[in-house]
Amino acid sequence: MMVAGARPQFVKLAPVFKALNASGHFLIKIVHTGQHYDHLLSGIFFSELNIPDPDYNLGVGSASQAVQIAEILLKLSPIIQAENPDLLIVFGDTNSTAAAALCAAIHKIPVTHIEAGLREFDKNIPEEINKLVTDSVSTLYFCPTNTGVQNLLKAGITEHVYHTGDVGMDLLFNLGQEFEASKDLLDRMGISAGNYIFATCHRAANTDNIENLTEILRAFAAAPRPVVFPVHPRTYKVMVQYNLLDAIPQCKLILTDPFGFTDTQILIKNAAMVLTDSGGVIKEAYFHQVPSIIIDKQTEWLEILEEGWSVIAGPSFENISRYLHNFEIPEHHGMSLGDGKASEKIAQLIYEYLQSGQ
Ligand code: UD1
């Protein structure tokens, strides 16, 4: 049973589903928690990435972290009891991840955590709580990076820990002809390759703090190139509620609805630079060899920082502006997030685990 509920998880579920399915060993059930429900945050990824319709949709919708987790527990529990899966797979660090992992563990179903071991070392971050909960109840740990493995070792977790590489990379390695459409998209947006900045902002630390969000939007608006900014509904609501756009010059800001997977990759790949607080976008920029400035105070993707493809500016107008004007692009790119085969390795390891009858 695979459980997902939020946009970044569909991107991870797609290649893992494909690999499990191709191996011919598994009967797979997909559960959508309903954490994300807007077409542009959910349905578009299912159709674009050829994910079959979920077998179940819990329809939990938006709520606080506590309520969302409680609702998923309540609604997933009878499904797990009825289906009695051999294994449950969760992805990343959203509320859907932690809730589903906890629910499966309560029902004594082994939990597989894909993107295990990552830490931001700050329990004020909702995702950090989800990471800690999920890793503490999991049985199989698939780490995208060596940092993930080391963090688990430090926490005393040593069994069934594997460094597989990042499943998000698998999709990117397989992208190809989709990029033929890229000129049309850039033309439609009135931008040209290498001459704009791609920006996203949705983490709670930025959207729930008006001072931070204002600093970030001011920095976007003052950037030396046009900024394409697909706005997450969460961010949009706050921008409207506090009239934040009225307060900043918008001449170079291109505000849009969220994009699907391929259009996002086209826009990242052709950008001069990326500004983001999204872990997924940081990784994707790295893959496309586009430098990124992190508008958050920390990241779990230390390998990318170490190679110099990313820097942490935090939600600071001054820091973001400084890096926008001075960013030395590294000469080396280590492909340190994997070789595009993480999902295949995971499918094989799951098969071996289940065959071993542990
Ligand atoms: C969630 C994840 C985050 C991930 C992000 C990707 C948690 C704690 N956070 O954050 O790790 O990076 O997804 O987008 O799980 N909303 C809509 N339509 C939707 C879904 C949400 O308008 O389909 C709005 C609602 O106002 C909602 C807000 O966005 O309250 C926040 O949604 P939520 O699912 O709580 O978290 P995200 O910010 O999307």
Side-chain angles (χ1 to χ4, degrees):
M1 180 172 282
M2 309 173 89
V3 184
R7 176 171 63 176
Q9 300 177 306
F10 309 136
V11 172
K12 293 165 200 165
L13 184 147
V16 177
F17 173 81
K18 198 170 154 207
L20 290 172
N21 205 29
S23 76
H25 296 311
F26 305 99
L27 172 65
I28 305 165
K29 299 273 168 159
I30 297 178
V31 179
H32 189 320
T33 64
Q35 178 174 350
H36 284 176
Y37 42 87
D38 282 347
H39 178 68
L40 293 179
L41 296 190
S42 175
I44 190 172
F45 291 91
F46 278 75
S47 47
E48 210 182 336
L49 301 176
N50 296 317
I51 307 171
D53 287 343
D55 298 279
Y56 298 92
N57 191 322
L58 309 183
V60 298
S62 295
S64 68
Q65 184 173 30
V67 171
Q68 222 165 34
I69 288 178
E71 288 239 357
I72 295 170
L73 275 168
L74 273 175
K75 292 182 168 164
L76 184 59
S77 184
I79 295 173
I80 289 183
Q81 276 177 310
E83 294 279 358
N84 194 25
D86 293 312
L87 192 97
L88 183 131
I89 304 176
V90 292
F91 307 85
D93 57 10
T94 73
N95 297 339
S96 299
T97 314
L102 186 53
C103 193
I106 288 168
H107 288 291
K108 304 192 171 38
I109 306 296
V111 176
T112 293
H113 188 197
I114 294 182
E115 212 170 89
L118 301 185
R119 297 289 181 269
E120 294 179 80
F121 300 105
D122 179 352
K123 286 186 191 143
N124 291 310
I125 302 170
E127 287 85 354
E128 182 73 356
I129 310 271
N130 295 335
K131 287 171 164 90
L132 291 166
V133 168
T134 307
D135 279 341
S136 67
V137 298
S138 289
T139 297
L140 292 182
Y141 299 86
F142 296 126
C143 304
T145 57
N146 188 39
T147 302
V149 175
Q150 296 310 319
N151 287 336
L152 290 176
L153 293 181
K154 280 184 212 149
I157 298 171
T158 54
E159 242 189 294
H160 299 309
V161 174
Y162 304 97
H163 180 188
T164 54
D166 182 55
V167 297
M169 295 297 114
D170 298 1
L171 278 183
L172 298 176
F173 273 99
N174 289 328
L175 278 174
Q177 65 211 35
E178 287 88 346
F179 282 102
E180 280 168 22
S182 59
K183 194 165 177 319
D184 288 352
L185 177 64
L186 300 190
D187 284 351
R188 255 188 287 136
M189 311 219 52
I191 50 178
S192 56
N195 199 22
Y196 66 92
I197 291 158
F198 181 77
T200 76
C201 172
H202 76 276
R203 282 282 202 127
N206 288 332
T207 58
D208 296 359
N209 180 319
I210 302 310
E211 236 171 74
N212 287 352
L213 190 54
T214 307
E215 286 272 308
I216 290 166
L217 292 175
R218 276 182 56 224
F220 286 5
R225 292 183 162 105
V227 173
V228 176
F229 178 25
V231 189
H232 188 293
R234 167 184 203 130
T235 317
Y236 185 72
K237 278 181 196 158
V238 181
M239 284 162 61
V240 169
Q241 189 183 349
Y242 293 92
N243 295 320
L244 295 184
L245 283 175
D246 297 348
I248 55 160
Q250 286 171 52
C251 44
K252 289 201 226 98
L253 261 187
I254 304 168
L255 298 179
T256 74
D257 282 334
F259 293 103
F261 181 74
T262 310
D263 284 353
T264 300
Q265 299 316 312
I266 289 170
L267 287 165
I268 294 174
K269 186 184 161 80
N270 288 292
M273 204 171 257
V274 163
L275 293 168
T276 190
D277 56 7
S278 152
V281 175
I282 294 167
K283 286 188 288 177
E284 289 158 358
Y286 171 76
F287 176 86
H288 295 300
Q289 308 203 13
V290 174
S292 63
I293 300 172
I294 300 173
I295 57 172
D296 207 350
K297 289 184 182 140
Q298 70 293 307
T299 180
E300 58 270 65
W301 300 103
L302 302 186
E303 283 76 0
I304 303 177
L305 287 183
E306 279 157 18
E307 280 188 32
W309 283 95
S310 210
V311 285
I312 295 180
S316 149
F317 173 83
E318 203 183 309
N319 288 346
I320 298 169
S321 304
R322 182 158 42 86
Y323 285 127
L324 274 172
H325 288 94
N326 299 298
F327 193 116
E328 211 163 305
I329 298 177
E331 281 168 20
H332 174 71
H333 190 283
M335 278 295 169
S336 62
L337 296 183
D339 56 3
K341 303 215 170 352
S343 304
E344 277 171 43
K345 291 176 205 163
I346 288 171
Q348 180 60 26
L349 287 162
I350 289 177
Y351 178 64
E352 286 167 15
Y353 170 78
L354 291 174
Q355 285 293 95
S356 74
Q358 287 183 60

